[in-house]
Amino acid sequence: MKHSLFSLLITAFLFAVSGCSGNSAPTPAAGPAVSEDSGGSAKGDFGPPVGAPINAVLTSPPMVPPPTGRSQPARVIVNLEVRELEKEISEGVKYTFWTFGGTVPGSFIRIRQGDTVEFHLNNHPDSKMPHNIDLHAVTGPGGGASSSFSAPGHSSQFTFKALNAGLYVYHCATAPVGMHVANGMYGLILVEPPEGLPKVDREYYVMQGDFYTVGRYREKGVQPFDMQKAIDENPTYVLFNGSESALLGDNALKVNVGETVRLFVGNGGPNLVSSFHVIGEIFDRVYTEGGSRYQENVQTTLVPAGGSTIVEFRSEVPGTGVIVDHSIFRAFNKGALGMIKYEGADNLAVYSGKEVDSIYLGDKAASAAPVAAAAAATASGTLTLEQQVKAGEALFAGTCSTCHQANGLGIANVFPPLAKSDYLNADHNHAIEVVLNGLSGPITVNGAAYNSVMPPMSQLNDDEVAMILTYSLNSWGNEGGRISAADVAKVRSSTPRPQGAAH
Amino acid sequence: MRLPALGFVLMNAAGLVGGVFASDSHVRLPGGEFKSALKYEDTQGKVLVAPFELMRTPVTNAQFLDFVRKNQSWQRGKVVPVFAEARYLSHWSSPLKLGANAKPQQPVVNVSWFAASAYCEAAHARLPTWREWEYSAAADGSRRDARGDPAWREQILGWYAKPSNAPLALVGQTPANVYGVQDLHGLVWEWTEDYASMLVSADNRAQGEQDRLKFCGAGAIAMDDRENYAVLMRVAMLSAMEAANITSNLGFRCAKSRL
């Protein structure tokens, strides 16, 4: 503390000096102005373990072991079993996962800085492959990899002292490393700082990974690993906790309104970096990259492959928060979705829910007036051609101009022109048909061939179709003419109309 | 074509009565210059494989039972512990009985390198060297070297990806390769004579010198073909073993030099 106080004084002094040379006195920045260096591994050895050895509590995702609650370094025994298991990666899709502890991600390990960890890696006799473990929490060659190399049906033991606090990834490092990781061989180990982490109401364990199957996304059956897709970094699935449904439905993380939440988030990779985000939530604190300092008020945080982050927030209103990789196609097309269910009473002052659902026309709002006028005139039988054209112009701008363009010229080779159009002028009833029923396939307009699809404009009523067509016939050098709502009604009743609206 | 096949069956049934293999249980491989997936520093991966003979299929439970009957010191319970760990032949119902979990024509597994070597020696043969094994296993049904074919690799990786929790198939079920050898892929891992001299580092990642296979004898060797995961994984598997170790999916076959 003395050290930091001294730093503060120096900072203040510097501010004072610069203040003298300037015209206005600077305002010191808010927040923690001085960061205290914890000393890292050089200060992480708190001496030999005290007391009897402790068996580490390991948990399967999304659960997290309780805080160690210790004030002295201990000897902690970790027994982790490697299993090769066929499990469901998506509904009806099986995949052979290689796991630490039978789950993807592997069991969560929680220790305290300064602890001496006696690590046992047990490779199940049913395994086909040898495996090992590289814990990023280990200071030493390979993170323990070569000391833990175990053939099927064999165990290895090694011991390390956890010198740095933080949230660390562990993973298998047996050749080919990429394949072992791609098959799910990763997890998290939390090394608590000596004082522990601030108390929260809920802690959960979420870890992202990318998966590479021979079959397409959601192709049913047993799906083998696709080495080429992995090398190309083109995953079939991007998942939280190893399965599309791991955090959905009944498996959603549960939080009561008003509770504080801490997520231990990891990214096993093997390839992708995660843009970690919870829809409808702002992280109050993010311990970037799983380190000791936090950033506040964060929407989305990057989690590197082989890295982690700790996010904390308080749930304020009931509902569902959606966990996503905000590299968003991964969320909606590759499975990177999870849910947090917040249960409790509404807090309408914070979030109202939907208050108003009304039509919004944007810049079309002003131009809707002629349509209303024309509709009224139609009803009273006083509709003039001028009124009809004006209303048609407004409707055309909203519905038709996207393709046929405001000037009626269309787009060469794609959308046919309505301006000086032989096709439009040839047959008024056919024109009505096209608007009502849509048109697809080859046609010739003004000597040019077109072959596109116009959807049926099912959202337009007879009046509106008549307005649009009358406007078109009396614009852009067309031959004129007038179509009534009755004309449209006649055609509508005489042709079968496909289901479905255009917009 | 019938006659050799019949001879094979007869000889197989006769087993190792004389301690000598029937020639029909072996095939002759011509050898020659071969590009190993391992990078031998002195030869840049090119190795010369002398002509040799290799068993068509891995050694079976029946064959190994015959061996331990004749060689008491290799029976379960009698073997010297430094030559085989406690689970040696643990899938047999008793030291001299196969039982329900070990069909006669399944490949023998749960055997140590020492035991496998002793078996081959008793048959006036030896374990194949890694080079011989790799050379044989590079072939498929029509090509001597199919290793560049992604489909071939994918097929091998497919077997690697399945856990070993189902009973092993009988030997001789997979199609013969171009030399007439079967089961080199898709059935069991196999011991090689010099497995201990080509140890891949247990932590096979690009970390300068650590990327090397462990140094031994003539020169350091490393993986030359990093895309050839099929070979890499077999090397990784073997290098996880000590000579007294066993696993439930590691067997062997014997080879002979051709004079």
Side-chain angles (χ1 to χ4, degrees):
Chain A
M1 283 313 290
K2 269 189 183 161
H3 180 76
S4 62
L5 195 64
F6 182 61
S7 304
L8 262 174
L9 286 172
I10 289 179
T11 313
F13 178 70
L14 288 173
F15 272 125
V17 168
S18 65
C20 287
S21 61
N23 288 330
S24 59
T27 320
V34 179
S35 72
E36 197 181 341
D37 188 342
S38 67
S41 59
K43 291 190 179 171
D45 189 344
F46 306 146
V50 176
I54 294 167
N55 282 309
V57 177
L58 304 184
T59 57
S60 298
M63 305 319 288
V64 177
T68 62
R70 278 187 279 107
S71 56
Q72 287 182 307
R75 185 174 188 85
V76 180
I77 299 164
V78 176
N79 262 292
L80 194 55
E81 185 183 50
V82 174
R83 297 296 309 262
E84 298 170 0
L85 298 169
E86 189 179 276
K87 293 158 86 90
E88 205 162 61
I89 190 168
S90 178
E91 200 186 327
V93 188
K94 302 273 193 181
Y95 186 78
T96 301
F97 293 95
W98 297 348
T99 73
F100 287 110
T103 56
V104 177
S107 306
F108 197 104
I109 306 166
R110 185 167 195 157
I111 57 172
R112 181 179 175 272
Q113 187 181 8
D115 280 350
T116 296
V117 180
E118 181 187 309
F119 205 100
H120 301 258
L121 190 71
N122 312 311
N123 191 0
H124 195 275
D126 285 351
S127 294
K128 176 92 40 99
M129 308 303 301
H131 299 286
N132 64 6
I133 192 166
D134 167 355
L135 298 123
H136 291 179
V138 170
T139 304
S146 50
S147 310
S148 58
F149 196 35
S150 304
H154 289 84
S155 297
S156 299
Q157 178 188 336
F158 68 102
T159 302
F160 70 95
K161 188 167 274 190
L163 297 176
N164 295 75
L167 180 62
Y168 297 96
V169 167
Y170 64 77
H171 64 90
C172 184
T174 301
V177 180
M179 182 176 178
H180 283 255
V181 173
N183 282 342
M185 297 202 79
Y186 44 75
L188 291 178
I189 176 169
L190 172 67
V191 184
E192 293 177 351
E195 69 279 12
L197 294 173
K199 192 180 165 2
V200 291
D201 298 313
R202 304 268 174 179
E203 290 183 327
Y204 286 116
Y205 171 21
V206 175
M207 196 156 183
Q208 182 172 325
D210 27 302
F211 295 88
Y212 305 81
T213 63
V214 170
R216 283 167 293 120
Y217 174 65
R218 288 190 174 169
E219 191 170 318
K220 305 286 186 238
V222 178
Q223 288 296 336
F225 169 70
D226 190 319
M227 179 62 84
Q228 195 54 50
K229 280 186 189 165
I231 293 170
D232 295 343
E233 304 194 11
N234 177 27
T236 324
Y237 294 88
V238 180
L239 302 173
F240 295 116
N241 291 3
S243 150
E244 264 210 287
S245 59
L247 295 175
L248 295 181
D250 291 344
N251 302 325
L253 304 179
K254 283 162 192 81
V255 173
N256 293 319
V257 169
E259 286 183 329
T260 49
V261 184
R262 177 180 292 133
L263 300 182
F264 295 105
V265 182
N267 184 5
N271 288 320
L272 300 187
V273 168
S274 173
S275 306
F276 188 79
H277 178 81
V278 176
I279 297 174
E281 195 58 69
I282 297 155
F283 303 137
D284 295 333
R285 285 168 297 282
V286 172
Y287 292 79
T288 318
E289 292 157 10
S292 302
R293 308 258 172 259
Y294 60 77
Q295 169 69 292
E296 291 182 278
N297 306 319
V298 174
Q299 56 193 309
T300 302
T301 190
L302 280 176
V303 191
S308 72
T309 190
I310 303 170
V311 303
E312 294 174 355
F313 55 91
R314 182 175 185 273
S315 69
E316 306 291 352
V317 294
T320 302
V322 183
I323 304 170
V324 296
D325 179 340
H326 215 295
S327 302
I328 208 72
F329 271 101
R330 300 173 190 170
F332 296 106
N333 300 76
K334 298 190 172 188
L337 278 175
M339 284 184 178
I340 308 174
K341 287 215 171 107
Y342 309 109
E343 283 169 4
D346 280 329
N347 184 350
L348 300 182
V350 174
Y351 186 75
S352 69
K354 191 165 203 170
E355 294 179 309
V356 175
D357 185 348
S358 63
I359 293 164
Y360 175 70
L361 295 169
D363 59 357
K364 309 228 162 58
S367 62
V371 179
T378 307
S380 63
T382 62
L383 181 71
T384 64
L385 178 64
E386 198 191 333
Q387 275 177 320
Q388 210 183 359
V389 166
K390 211 160 181 194
E393 184 178 11
L395 288 168
F396 185 91
T399 304
C400 318
S401 64
T402 314
C403 298
H404 294 290
Q405 305 300 302
N407 56 14
L409 290 174
I411 292 175
N413 305 318
V414 186
F415 303 123
L418 301 177
K420 288 184 197 155
S421 166
D422 57 356
Y423 192 90
L424 172 66
N425 288 297
D427 182 347
H428 290 183
N429 278 341
H430 181 60
I432 296 170
E433 258 177 51
V434 169
V435 176
L436 289 179
N437 304 323
L439 182 68
S440 63
I443 57 169
T444 303
V445 181
N446 295 347
Y450 292 86
N451 190 356
S452 2
V453 176
M454 171 168 160
M457 298 294 138
S458 322
Q459 80 282 13
L460 299 173
N461 63 29
D462 294 347
D463 224 7
E464 292 165 336
V465 173
M467 291 170 190
I468 289 170
L469 284 172
T470 304
Y471 164 69
S472 300
L473 289 168
N474 291 279
S475 306
W476 319 308
N478 283 324
E479 293 165 13
R482 196 166 173 188
I483 289 170
S484 70
D487 297 332
V488 179
K490 209 189 286 173
V491 174
R492 194 191 287 275
S493 63
S494 65
T495 54
R497 206 156 57 93
Q499 296 297 307
H503 300 288
Chain B
M1 285 313 293
R2 287 246 162 151
L3 207 57
L6 183 65
F8 172 57
V9 171
L10 286 174
M11 287 305 189
N12 234 14
L16 295 169
V17 177
V20 181
F21 282 107
S23 62
D24 279 348
S25 66
H26 284 59
V27 292
R28 295 180 167 212
L29 290 90
E33 196 175 74
F34 176 70
K35 180 92 172 68
S36 174
L38 301 184
K39 186 162 149 193
Y40 292 85
E41 245 184 19
D42 42 352
T43 63
Q44 290 305 306
K46 287 220 168 124
V47 295
L48 199 61
V49 178
F52 67 106
E53 291 183 12
L54 190 65
M55 286 177 69
R56 286 178 195 276
T57 53
V59 173
T60 63
N61 281 318
Q63 289 171 322
F64 204 79
L65 177 62
D66 197 57
F67 163 71
V68 298
R69 279 202 177 116
K70 294 189 179 70
N71 298 275
Q72 290 196 14
S73 63
W74 288 103
Q75 288 171 11
R76 189 175 95 193
K78 291 186 182 166
V79 68
V80 180
V82 294
F83 287 156
E85 64 167 273
R87 287 173 297 177
Y88 172 68
L89 295 176
S90 57
H91 62 307
W92 289 9
S93 66
S94 76
L96 291 174
K97 239 195 195 122
L98 300 184
N101 294 327
K103 296 198 183 81
Q105 288 305 305
Q106 279 176 327
V108 68
V109 290
N110 294 326
V111 285
S112 66
W113 179 87
F114 291 113
S117 302
Y119 175 97
C120 292
E121 201 182 321
H124 305 296
R126 56 175 172 77
L127 287 170
T129 63
W130 167 258
R131 291 177 187 192
E132 287 168 343
W133 196 94
E134 188 188 6
Y135 165 84
S136 316
D140 69 0
S142 57
R143 295 167 288 190
R144 285 192 176 185
D145 191 348
R147 294 175 296 174
D149 183 351
W152 182 84
R153 288 181 186 180
E154 203 60 54
Q155 199 185 332
I156 294 169
L157 289 174
W159 175 69
Y160 289 2
K162 288 189 201 95
S164 293
N165 48 11
L168 292 167
L170 306 185
V171 301
Q173 308 287 302
T174 62
N177 73 10
V178 73
Y179 305 114
V181 185
Q182 292 174 281
D183 303 330
L184 287 165
H185 300 290
L187 186 58
V188 285
W189 304 110
E190 294 182 25
W191 285 112
T192 61
E193 182 181 51
D194 53 350
Y195 93 97
S197 69
M198 40 151 249
L199 290 187
V200 67
S201 163
D203 186 7
N204 190 279
R205 293 172 289 178
Q207 293 181 7
E209 288 302 305
Q210 286 220 1
D211 193 33
R212 290 281 164 86
L213 295 175
K214 276 182 187 156
F215 191 91
C216 185
I221 44 179
M223 283 302 296
D224 199 29
D225 181 4
R226 306 215 39 117
E227 275 212 7
N228 198 339
Y229 283 88
V231 171
L232 179 56
M233 290 168 81
R234 196 166 273 269
V235 174
M237 174 61 197
L238 286 174
S239 52
M241 307 301 297
E242 289 180 20
N245 284 170
I246 61 100
T247 82
S248 61
N249 47 34
L250 175 57
F252 71 101
R253 70 180 79 212
C254 305
K256 283 181 204 175
S257 301
R258 275 169 64 185
L259 303 172

